[in-house]
Amino acid sequence: MGCIQSVRPRPKFHENFTVLELNTSIDSNPTVIDESSSVVLRYRTPYFRATAQVQVPPVVCKEIWTVGWVQACNQMDFFNYYGQEGISSWELPELRDGRIQAISDSDGVNYPWYGCTTEMYTIVGPTKRSTTLTVSMNDNFSPSVTWSVPTGTTSSPPLLSSIRRDQRFTTWLVAVNETTAEMVLLRTIRWRMRLAIEVDSQKPLGQRAHLLEPLTQEQPEILAKNEPIPPNALVKPNANDAQVLIWRPKKGEPIVVIQPKS
């Protein structure tokens, strides 16, 4: 009797995607505070960075594959305290109320991608040989916070007393078949950015604010097992368009200072 050989099924095309290298970090420098304006305090956090080198097998069909970064915000606590007057906060209502798990952090144009330059790479098939590509992204915070309460005027006294911020993100390295909409998860990264700034608004401009913590951010985590992407992370609105600024005075009802863009 002849020898019976087992026949292994051919791997699917996307199973031959290979992540050759993946690097991610948050810069070690502390958050920088800028008091050059008499109207707002500005600060700039260190950058989160991610770079991946991916090898894509030859595309034998007339298909288009895009490899790149998709990012979502999972948590946003962003509070600005004004002494005994109250608190202003940037909020994502659906995320805050637990109606969604995450919200897109796309550039707001090229959904679901985080960006459209170094953040993504498109391969148009057919191709005769494999393609080795590099995609990279970075992210940080650089907001402006009013010295006076956000419902005041430019002549209102400076009352800002502290800033607290804590945000969590998930970043996915993905490949998308633009022809069939098939999406392949290649890697998943979790990262967090925190800060605490104390402010004495009675001091002269340039001497009011100092960073309490952290002097160094915790480093991102590359997950051993990929996490699925929540549906809201792939579609409109993105976090920038959905956020609202709310003033919560110690006395009285909350006031929406800035409405969502969408």
Side-chain angles (χ1 to χ4, degrees):
M1 179 179 289
C3 184
I4 300 176
Q5 295 183 342
S6 62
V7 179
R8 294 182 179 178
R10 292 183 62 184
K12 295 180 180 180
F13 175 76
H14 69 256
E15 293 175 347
N16 289 319
F17 281 66
T18 304
V19 179
L20 301 175
E21 188 175 357
L22 175 62
N23 296 303
T24 183
S25 64
I26 294 179
D27 294 349
S28 59
N29 56 285
T31 294
V32 175
I33 299 172
D34 177 2
E35 294 187 36
S36 60
S37 168
S38 61
V39 179
V40 295
L41 176 151
R42 299 185 180 95
Y43 63 83
R44 185 175 67 255
T45 67
Y47 280 91
F48 161 79
R49 303 180 190 273
T51 301
Q53 187 179 69
V54 181
Q55 187 176 67
V56 179
V59 180
V60 296
C61 303
K62 289 185 177 180
E63 294 181 335
I64 300 174
W65 282 86
T66 300
V67 178
W69 298 103
V70 173
Q71 181 164 284
C73 177
N74 305 98
Q75 171 194 330
M76 185 169 82
D77 298 331
F78 185 176
F79 302 105
N80 306 311
Y81 295 83
Y82 291 85
Q84 298 302 311
E85 295 299 313
I87 303 169
S88 73
S89 59
W90 284 100
E91 302 178 11
L92 296 164
E94 288 194 317
L95 189 65
R96 176 199 65 202
D97 298 342
R99 287 177 280 165
I100 58 175
Q101 291 179 296
I103 188 167
S104 169
D105 200 27
S106 164
D107 63 3
V109 178
N110 302 281
Y111 287 91
W113 305 107
Y114 180 76
C116 64
T117 54
T118 63
E119 299 87 358
M120 57 190 289
Y121 191 104
T122 299
I123 302 168
V124 180
T127 59
K128 294 182 178 180
R129 56 181 61 88
S130 63
T131 301
T132 299
L133 59 93
T134 299
V135 286
S136 61
M137 64 164 288
N138 62 67
D139 192 10
N140 81 327
F141 309 148
S142 53
S144 300
V145 181
T146 56
W147 292 111
S148 58
V149 299
T151 54
T153 65
T154 54
S155 61
S156 298
L159 294 172
L160 182 66
S161 56
S162 68
I163 300 170
R164 297 291 188 274
R165 190 163 182 175
D166 187 355
Q167 285 187 244
R168 296 176 188 266
F169 298 86
T170 306
T171 307
W172 293 269
L173 177 65
V174 304
V176 174
N177 184 325
E178 305 288 359
T179 308
T180 65
E182 175 187 9
M183 178 174 287
V184 182
L185 301 186
L186 301 175
R187 292 291 186 273
T188 307
I189 301 169
R190 283 185 190 153
W191 62 281
R192 179 185 189 186
M193 192 76 77
R194 298 183 300 120
L195 67 88
I197 296 174
E198 281 297 301
V199 182
D200 184 347
S201 291
Q202 303 309 307
K203 288 187 175 181
L205 195 63
Q207 303 175 27
R208 294 174 177 174
H210 68 277
L211 180 68
L212 287 182
E213 60 176 356
L215 297 180
T216 303
Q217 301 287 338
E218 61 186 84
Q219 290 301 306
E221 176 188 8
I222 302 172
L223 302 189
K225 184 179 179 181
N226 281 319
E227 285 190 352
I229 304 180
N232 292 87
L234 301 171
V235 296
K236 297 180 180 181
N238 68 350
N240 284 340
D241 288 347
Q243 65 184 353
V244 298
L245 178 62
I246 299 178
W247 169 242
R248 301 181 186 277
K250 288 288 180 69
K251 297 179 181 180
E253 296 297 316
I255 300 170
V256 176
V257 181
I258 298 179
Q259 296 279 357
K261 295 177 184 177
S262 62

